[in-house]
Amino acid sequence: MGHLVENINIRIPELAVLVVSMLPVSELRGAIPLAVFKFHFPIWKAFLLSVAGNLVPIVPILLFLDRIHRLLYRTSWGKKLFDKFSARTRKRGQIVEKYEALGLIAFVAIPLPVTGAWTGAFAAFLFDIPFKKAFPAIAMGVLIAGFIVSAFVMAGYIGAVAVGAILLFLVLKEAYKRL
């Protein structure tokens, strides 16, 4: 495996950053700090790998979510899962519904939980924003989020702890609302 990875001129740390940035939970919010603090990448490299990785799953999501939706709706658990996520996204995605592509940029750009590229792609599906408008808007939002996260990371461990504390507060606040 190591030999195969070396042949395509990518190392395990770069691959790890790409994979973390592709995941719906962490996206580039987790990948940039990982790249800088764990692997000691320069910020420009962390930014580029994380933005690229964050955008990789967006094209298939935008292109195939309608088909996935139809498949999920054939089962009761799939319908329940899709409806639950749809309701949550509609509630948080009011800016997308109101301003469409511009709202999508803002929605994705704010580096908070449940506002990244994955949820942005889902919001684009829910609010019928076509691919040719949705992908550039999501890409712009990812770039802005990448700059914001990079700025906090460049502030060092104190900046990262501050961002972590803010994110933890927001998650706990959201959890408290649901009680």
Side-chain angles (χ1 to χ4, degrees), residues 30-111:
I32 291 173
L34 173 72
V36 171
F37 296 130
K38 172 74 175 152
F39 298 124
H40 309 289
F41 289 174
I43 196 70
W44 64 267
K45 184 176 182 180
F47 175 85
L48 290 176
L49 284 170
S50 298
V51 166
N54 202 179
L55 290 174
V56 165
I58 301 312
V59 171
I61 291 169
L62 289 171
L63 292 176
F64 300 114
L65 192 54
D66 184 48
R67 291 182 189 138
I68 294 167
H69 168 252
R70 282 184 271 149
L71 283 172
L72 283 175
Y73 251 59
R74 291 181 183 173
T75 66
S76 61
W77 65 268
K79 183 180 183 324
K80 188 182 290 187
L81 177 72
F82 203 88
D83 287 347
K84 183 178 180 179
F85 195 65
S86 295
R88 182 178 292 164
T89 302
R90 282 185 192 282
K91 181 180 174 185
R92 294 175 189 233
Q94 293 169 347
I95 189 172
V96 178
E97 186 174 27
K98 186 173 182 179
Y99 297 106
E100 294 185 347
L102 289 175
L104 197 54
I105 292 170
F107 184 78
V108 173
I110 301 166

Side-chain angles (χ1 to χ4, degrees), residues 121-133:
F122 192 75
F125 166 76
L126 287 177
F127 300 120
D128 293 320
I129 300 173
F131 180 89
K132 66 182 180 181
K133 288 184 179 179

